[in-house]
Amino acid sequence: MSFSVVTLVKGRKKQLENMLESIKQSTIVPSEIVIVWMEEETRNARVEDEDLNIKQLYLEKGELPLAKARNLGFENTTHERVIFLDVDCICSPTLLEGLLNGLKDKTITSAYARYLPYIPLSGLYTQIEQDALSHPKRTQLDANTPLPHKKFWSLVFALRKDDFYVIGGFDEDFTGYGGEDTDFAERFNKQHFDFILIDDEVLHQYHFKYSPPLNYLKAIVENANLFYHKHGYFPMYSWLQEFCKRSYVTFDERKHNFKVVRLPHQLDIELALSTKPY
């Protein structure tokens, strides 16, 4: 069963090594793994693994060019079936096979996620699965049946290469963090794709996160305005409201968009650090 895996990474080499270790324990192993580094090539921005066929690409432009990096990774795959994995994912042994078994025309498969409160020493799923916590907002989603497209998230998903191009890939006008995956979901929904969760999971390795994400404030506001222009509603709305409440952002009634009026100080960002694993 030939297939490609694509992942993106910036500064998370240990998480990447853990993910690759989990892939090697899978019931099926990808024919190739395309890694897009969103940084310049250095000793710390490169991995070697004789057991896997790894292709490494580098994309230095932009602070966090997620949409562009996903497209670049996909364009460099050589197989019809493609699985996207966030670099923080540790796969269950049956995850990859399950994602591919559920693929059909105009179908996107995904899986559940549970969250680790630490970065594990290895990617051995069976040694750490008991420590992972479920996200309270996602445990009630049904498996093996089409779900609303707004439940899509880009942590883990699979689709056919032809379908990726039918959708149009990710919109590279979205730069930095936020909005590009919801835009992707809106566009595949308009073309009547099914979004289906399989009854399997990834474990998400811990990383620092902020609530609200003040570290991404400017990008979130810009991407939310772009998204509204395309789709007629604002994504990430609770974050936008919180930014307004804290007087970093205002809403321009005349232009019907959000505007950054001041940026948070580093101390403001640090005080927003969340202790939750999800």
Side-chain angles (χ1 to χ4, degrees), residues 113-124:
R114 289 190 298 133
Y115 293 77
L116 293 164
Y118 58 83
I119 301 172
L121 296 177
S122 79
L124 297 177

Side-chain angles (χ1 to χ4, degrees), residues 64 66 171-180 183 216-231 233-236 240:
L64 199 64
L66 295 171
D171 185 345
E172 295 181 16
D173 286 340
F174 290 90
T175 57
Y177 180 87
E180 84 292 335
D183 170 77
Y216 295 130
L217 182 145
K218 186 172 183 290
I220 287 172
V221 171
E222 291 173 351
N223 287 337
N225 287 334
L226 170 61
F227 188 99
Y228 179 86
H229 179 73
K230 292 184 68 175
H231 302 293
Y233 71 94
F234 288 104
M236 307 173 285
L240 294 168

Side-chain angles (χ1 to χ4, degrees), residues 118-140:
Y118 58 83
I119 301 172
L121 296 177
S122 79
L124 297 177
Y125 171 88
T126 55
Q127 294 183 4
I128 55 178
E129 60 170 320
Q130 70 279 359
D131 296 334
L133 305 172
S134 297
H135 194 299
K137 291 185 178 180
R138 303 199 73 90
T139 54
Q140 304 303 317

Side-chain angles (χ1 to χ4, degrees), residues 30-275:
S31 310
E32 66 179 2
I33 300 175
V34 180
I35 301 171
V36 182
W37 294 85
M38 296 178 289
E39 54 188 300
E40 65 180 17
E41 182 176 2
T42 64
R43 182 181 299 178
N44 287 327
R46 186 163 190 86
V47 291
E48 304 291 341
D49 196 310
E50 295 180 355
D51 298 323
L52 297 170
N53 179 25
I54 294 176
K55 181 187 298 183
Q56 301 185 74
L57 309 168
Y58 294 84
L59 187 60
E60 301 171 32
K61 294 181 180 179
E63 182 179 351
L64 199 64
L66 295 171
K68 188 172 185 177
R70 288 195 183 103
N71 289 344
L72 179 65
F74 199 95
E75 290 160 6
N76 281 274
T77 59
T78 54
H79 300 285
E80 174 60 16
R81 290 171 294 188
V82 182
I83 297 174
F84 283 79
L85 288 174
D86 188 286
V87 70
D88 296 312
C89 289
I90 289 176
C91 308
S92 85
T94 54
L95 172 82
L96 303 181
E97 187 172 6
L99 289 170
L100 296 182
N101 285 341
L103 274 190
K104 298 178 293 186
D105 288 338
K106 302 191 79 169
T107 299
I108 295 174
T109 58
S110 187
Y112 296 91
R114 289 190 298 133
Y115 293 77
L116 293 164
Y118 58 83
I119 301 172
L121 296 177
S122 79
L124 297 177
Y125 171 88
T126 55
Q127 294 183 4
I128 55 178
E129 60 170 320
Q130 70 279 359
D131 296 334
L133 305 172
S134 297
H135 194 299
K137 291 185 178 180
R138 303 199 73 90
T139 54
Q140 304 303 317
L141 297 178
D142 293 328
N144 302 315
T145 187
L147 293 172
H149 68 283
K150 290 182 181 180
K151 299 299 182 184
F152 171 82
W153 82 114
S154 53
L155 188 72
V156 47
F157 66 99
L159 78 172
R160 292 179 175 174
K161 191 168 186 175
D162 286 346
D163 282 340
F164 184 80
Y165 289 117
V166 167
I167 296 166
F170 287 86
D171 185 345
E172 295 181 16
D173 286 340
F174 290 90
T175 57
Y177 180 87
E180 84 292 335
D181 49 357
T182 311
D183 170 77
F184 185 77
E186 284 293 336
R187 288 186 288 112
F188 76 62
N189 181 60
K190 288 176 182 176
Q191 301 202 47
H192 308 291
F193 277 66
D194 284 334
F195 172 61
I196 295 176
L197 287 179
I198 65 167
D199 193 12
D200 213 321
E201 70 173 6
V202 296
L203 306 181
H204 182 280
Q205 303 173 77
Y206 177 80
H207 61 74
F208 286 119
K209 58 187 66 65
Y210 301 87
S211 184
L214 297 179
N215 53 322
Y216 295 130
L217 182 145
K218 186 172 183 290
I220 287 172
V221 171
E222 291 173 351
N223 287 337
N225 287 334
L226 170 61
F227 188 99
Y228 179 86
H229 179 73
K230 292 184 68 175
H231 302 293
Y233 71 94
F234 288 104
M236 307 173 285
Y237 192 66
S238 62
W239 290 345
L240 294 168
Q241 287 182 306
E242 188 63 28
F243 295 159
C244 289
K245 181 180 177 181
R246 299 185 185 208
S247 301
Y248 296 115
V249 172
T250 59
F251 185 71
D252 187 325
E253 295 283 355
R254 184 175 62 85
K255 296 182 178 179
H256 207 79
N257 64 13
F258 288 90
K259 179 181 178 181
V260 177
V261 291
R262 68 184 182 97
L263 293 173
H265 298 295
Q266 185 59 37
L267 179 59
D268 299 329
I269 296 173
E270 291 172 3
L271 289 174
L273 181 66
S274 172
T275 58

